[in-house]
Amino acid sequence: MIQSIDRAARIMNLLQGARRLGISELAAALELPPSTVHGLVKSLQAHGLVAQEPGGNRYVLGPALLRLSSVYLDTLDVRARSLRRMYELSQRTGLASHLGVLLGTDVLVIHHDRRPDGSEQMPETGLTLPAHASALGKVLLAHDDDVRGQVLAGELADLTDATVTDATMLRDQLSDVCRTGLATSIEEAVLGDAAAAVPVADQDGRVIAALGVLAAADAFPLPDAILRELRDAARAISRDLGAR
């Protein structure tokens, strides 16, 4: 590992989630001299990866990351193949839909199609959630032995009172996901929100993404008709990717 790149990446990780930190705070978190951190931050700032608050001494993530994230999303074949199918899914169900992939032990939402009713909604594209606390993440964990092992061996973050933090209980849930092909989460990450998700496979039969629909928690369990639409959309995307 190249030390300077590792440190720069750690700085950006510390600033994620709209956090604003000064040099001394970053230096304390990294256990590095402030002069070293100052040089790293200024280098990141020169490339637009970090920005300084106007009239302040704290730093935030920079605008160049938006461009890089857009380029990354555009290179994902599964996202490109899903756009039309997800639009049709949202239109048929009246629910928002989202598509996620694993990013470490989190799930990254790579596309979000809004509810068609025109109501105000928070865009989810680019959002990350702990995999164990989301329906998308449970689908992906159920089909990835390595990441599942990491998650079950570590501490399960408690986001709400409904978050599953017991490894045995989570393991049982993931076994059910493998058996039924369906994962659900009800207020496990955000109060009032619930989701159902199913796997998306590639030409080799590997589960590479999860497709889900979002609804209010009091709308669960979802009607069978909506779950059929969800499964059909995931199968169509998988076929578009070359899966049998």
Side-chain angles (χ1 to χ4, degrees), residues 98-175:
H98 57 181
L99 184 75
V101 297
L102 281 176
L103 180 64
T105 57
D106 293 334
V107 59
L108 170 67
V109 178
I110 60 174
H111 186 62
H112 173 236
D113 200 283
R114 299 184 176 212
R115 290 189 304 273
D117 61 6
S119 60
E120 185 176 350
Q121 302 164 58
M122 184 184 76
E124 286 196 359
T125 302
L127 182 71
T128 58
L129 289 169
H132 72 279
S134 69
L136 294 177
K138 290 178 184 179
V139 167
L140 297 167
L141 290 178
H143 293 88
D144 191 311
D145 295 343
D146 292 337
V147 180
R148 181 173 66 251
Q150 292 178 44
V151 170
L152 291 173
E155 181 179 355
L156 300 175
D158 187 4
L159 304 183
T160 72
D161 290 341
T163 308
V164 177
T165 57
D166 179 79
T168 300
M169 184 181 298
L170 178 60
R171 185 181 290 108
D172 291 342
Q173 285 191 2
L174 298 180
S175 296

Side-chain angles (χ1 to χ4, degrees), residues 42-121:
K42 288 302 180 183
S43 296
L44 291 169
Q45 186 178 5
H47 290 281
L49 298 171
V50 164
Q52 188 172 1
E53 281 186 323
N57 295 316
R58 295 186 300 175
Y59 294 85
V60 297
L61 291 177
L65 288 173
L66 288 175
R67 183 177 68 251
L68 292 175
S69 63
S70 296
V71 171
Y72 169 72
L73 291 177
D74 288 343
T75 63
L76 295 176
D77 191 36
V78 63
R79 180 176 186 267
R81 303 272 184 170
S82 302
L83 299 181
R84 179 172 64 86
R85 304 291 187 183
M86 291 179 66
Y87 173 78
E88 293 171 349
L89 174 62
S90 293
Q91 292 295 314
R92 288 172 179 162
T93 62
L95 300 176
S97 59
H98 57 181
L99 184 75
V101 297
L102 281 176
L103 180 64
T105 57
D106 293 334
V107 59
L108 170 67
V109 178
I110 60 174
H111 186 62
H112 173 236
D113 200 283
R114 299 184 176 212
R115 290 189 304 273
D117 61 6
S119 60
E120 185 176 350
Q121 302 164 58

